[in-house]
Amino acid sequence: MITTLLVANRGEIARRVLRTCRTLGIGTVAVYSDADADAPHTREADAAVRLPGRAPADTYLNGAAIVAAAERAGADAVHPGYGFLSENAGFAREVRAAGLTWVGPPPEAIDDMGSKIRAKEIARRAGVPAAAALEPEEVTAADLPVLIKASAGGGGRGMRIVRALDALPAEAEAARAEAAAAFGDAAVFCERYLERGRHIEVQLLADTHGTVWAVGERDCSLQRRHQKVVEETPAPGIPDELRERLHEAARRMAGAIGYTGAGTAEFLADTDGTPAFLEMNTRLQVEHPVTECVTGLDLVEWQLRIAEGEALPPEGPPSPSGHAIEARLYAEDPAHDWRPSGGTVAAFEVPGTAAEFGVLSAHGIRVDSGVAPGSTVGVDYDPLLAKVIAWGAHRGDAARRLAAALARAHLHGVGTNRDLLVRVLRDTAFRAGDVHTGFLTGAGADGRGPGALARPLADPAAERLAALAAAVADAAANRRAAPALGGLPAGWRNLPSQPQVKRYRGDTGEELAIAYRCTRDGRFHPADLDGVRVERAEPDEVVLEIDGVRRTFGVTAYGPDRMTCVDSPLGAVTLRPLSRFCESGVDIAPGTLLAPMPGTVGRIAVAVGQPVRADQPLLWLEAMKMEHRITAPAAGVVTELPVAPGQRVDAGAALAVVHEDDANSQDSD
């Protein structure tokens, strides 16, 4: 019987496990890095143990330190969550050797599935169809396109799509380097890449008494950078015969390796419906809440019960009811190659949330979040902020609920992919069930790509209305805070004068100039927005009438720079006030490449004095578990390289200088 559980993780999955433990009466211990000293999971556990340092290698990937923390805090069991050490057989053995209960599968099963190449061999022996794993040197033109994958990893690291044979050696080498840095194993392989494949996975539960459940399947086809963005269950549009084939194949895989606990078998289905085994995740999946919604099961609870030796009920898993969809809120900018965005979360609220981390009792919205107002989003960890899940009577019902919840959410301080998620959920092709792995990348004949879907929900007209709301709310706030003559209307003048003008920088980078007057009766009047009337202006709420239609805008200003977030049904807008005075600029040498975000310099592919061609990779910047390639803006010569591998840099730091030179441009070609 488990009495006290240490959660060897952070963020939303740590909070998720803590929540079930509280329900079951199990004591909890958190571990935290220096970066997470004030994180929600650290505060919510009964006890917390510091793992000195910030880097994952020193903290959440330090198995010996975590086992020592469990012993020091009096824990008798360890739950690894997902990511970090969750699929590390050595860590599982360390936990068991310390006399602690490991809430996960046997280390031998983790070993078997830890190599994707070996996992495919086991699948074939078990009679499970598996995609061929080719060595990069074995690939021929007939095999193209192929996907290079790291044998030991996941999460999109070490993965490359290759469509031309001459590009394969360089991409394979880059994938090996990334895999070695991320997983300590440089082994890679190639498998056929499907432009419009369906990524379908089966949730497994297996007890120590020989019972294996296939608890439904999930479609996880909507991905960016080979990482999932939207997941749902049941998988839309697949025939019952294919569904049963997938469930049976997953059960066979679990039986072949003596699996226990929760796990997931992942498959890729071709356009003709032919499935092929990809890999098995020997842990709880990020997207497990959708399965909990439609079955009513608490999968974390069952992980704990199975670890304690309890048997699964003989009647089998519950049948799914309704439909559930999960959207992952990432701190990133889809319009700029999914660039991570950090900062401090000023506000995070999803109105109408019926449950947090728990199983829903009725159709509605669930939120599993790793952040709270005041949380700092840094570059050391995954950019996942939260998961928003909708459960509805059918797929259309769930999609509508989820889109509305995301659109109404208050997300201030950190840039997110929220608007893209809303557009996806309202997209006609998505609503029709036409989902595939190329949906967000533009692959395939009708791939949407991030361009159209990443547009802000607030169009330029809505952004100007939001700026007007921000301007008059600011005037109202100034008047309310005035130490003298507080009874006078904002901007009052004895005689008519020029309009007041406030300038902002909006989400699109455009400058917005808002002109308005305030009359003797205290009412604001826009100077250049025809058909718009200010009905009411308070510091935190403005009501505008636009062509006879009233709309309410919530306004919140933060910090000394007065960053202003405006929420309305027209779309959320973040505005930054611009000074009325000229600001002195900083001279930047021509050809200087600046860091687009904070991060750590990874590999450097060039040297000072080396000729380069346009778009040639110079170095890679690592941030939030992703690599971002920094390329030459034009052909020329590298004249400065002021950074080194492993160096942490701030956004805007100089990474390299490329001097354009016509002669060298020709030579480099």
Side-chain angles (χ1 to χ4, degrees), residues 264-276:
T264 305
E266 303 202 2
F267 300 85
L268 191 65
D270 206 339
T271 51
D272 62 2
T274 302

Side-chain angles (χ1 to χ4, degrees), residues 385 506 651 667:
L385 299 177
D667 292 344

Side-chain angles (χ1 to χ4, degrees), residues 243-268:
R243 180 174 283 109
E244 184 48 45
R245 284 178 64 191
L246 293 171
H247 290 189
E248 175 58 26
R251 287 190 290 263
R252 284 191 183 186
M253 282 301 302
I257 60 174
Y259 197 83
T260 60
T264 305
E266 303 202 2
F267 300 85
L268 191 65

Side-chain angles (χ1 to χ4, degrees), residues 653-669:
L655 301 176
V657 178
V658 176
H659 176 69
E660 292 188 42
D661 186 305
D662 291 339
N664 282 310
S665 300
Q666 295 169 4
D667 292 344
S668 64
D669 290 334

Side-chain angles (χ1 to χ4, degrees), residues 350-610:
V350 182
T353 298
E356 294 183 355
F357 304 104
V359 177
L360 288 166
S361 59
H363 296 157
I365 299 296
R366 166 178 167 175
V367 176
D368 287 17
S369 170
V371 298
S375 295
T376 299
V377 180
V379 299
D380 296 302
Y381 310 116
D382 188 283
L384 181 66
L385 299 177
K387 304 175 308 196
V388 183
I389 308 102
W391 178 34
H394 49 78
R395 187 170 185 267
D397 181 28
R400 181 174 58 197
R401 290 174 186 267
L402 184 52
L406 288 166
R408 292 197 303 264
H410 297 160
L411 302 171
H412 300 167
V414 178
T416 74
N417 64 337
R418 180 260 299 276
D419 287 9
L420 174 133
L421 295 173
V422 174
R423 288 194 180 277
V424 165
L425 293 162
R426 291 174 175 171
D427 184 82
T428 54
F430 176 84
R431 289 295 187 99
D434 184 16
V435 292
H436 53 84
T437 52
F439 194 96
L440 292 180
T441 62
D446 62 349
R448 294 298 189 273
L453 292 171
R455 288 183 292 111
L457 293 174
D459 61 20
E463 191 175 44
R464 284 194 64 80
L465 292 170
L468 171 62
V472 297
D474 184 49
N478 290 339
R479 183 71 295 183
R480 180 174 293 181
L485 300 176
L488 288 180
W492 185 87
R493 296 292 185 272
N494 190 39
L495 296 172
S497 181
Q498 294 296 315
Q500 302 264 24
V501 178
K502 290 181 179 173
R503 291 181 171 84
Y504 298 93
R505 182 85 61 198
D507 291 324
T508 60
E510 296 293 323
E511 181 177 325
L512 301 166
I514 299 299
Y516 63 90
R517 287 187 174 90
C518 186
T519 55
R520 289 175 177 269
D521 59 1
R523 297 182 67 85
F524 293 97
H525 295 273
D528 54 2
L529 286 171
D530 294 336
V532 179
R533 294 178 54 211
V534 179
E535 289 290 316
R536 187 175 77 253
E538 302 292 340
D540 59 352
E541 184 177 275
V542 174
V543 178
L544 302 180
E545 184 183 278
I546 305 110
D547 295 326
V549 179
R550 284 189 178 186
R551 298 191 184 277
T552 300
F553 295 76
V555 182
T556 311
Y558 296 97
D561 67 349
R562 302 295 289 175
M563 176 191 76
T564 303
C565 298
V566 183
D567 295 295
S568 82
L570 300 178
V573 175
T574 299
L575 302 163
R576 297 190 179 275
L578 298 177
S579 173
R580 293 179 294 169
F581 308 102
C582 294
E583 298 181 1
S584 58
V586 177
D587 291 334
I588 299 174
T592 300
L593 302 177
L594 305 179
M597 79 287 287
T600 301
V601 177
R603 294 172 288 132
I604 296 179
V606 295
V608 172
Q610 178 178 333

Side-chain angles (χ1 to χ4, degrees), residues 217-301:
E217 79 293 330
R218 300 183 285 256
D219 189 294
C220 306
S221 299
L222 266 73
Q223 303 176 4
R224 61 97 174 98
R225 292 188 169 217
H226 310 293
Q227 286 185 304
K228 301 160 187 173
V229 177
V230 176
E231 305 99 344
E232 57 183 307
T233 188
I238 68 170
D240 290 340
E241 183 270 337
L242 174 58
R243 180 174 283 109
E244 184 48 45
R245 284 178 64 191
L246 293 171
H247 290 189
E248 175 58 26
R251 287 190 290 263
R252 284 191 183 186
M253 282 301 302
I257 60 174
Y259 197 83
T260 60
T264 305
E266 303 202 2
F267 300 85
L268 191 65
D270 206 339
T271 51
D272 62 2
T274 302
F277 173 78
L278 290 177
E279 60 183 325
M280 187 167 175
N281 296 126
T282 53
R283 54 170 169 79
L284 195 67
Q285 289 282 83
V286 178
E287 56 273 17
H288 74 275
V290 293
T291 298
E292 294 184 324
C293 285
V294 300
T295 62
L297 296 172
D298 183 326
L299 294 178
V300 174
E301 178 178 341

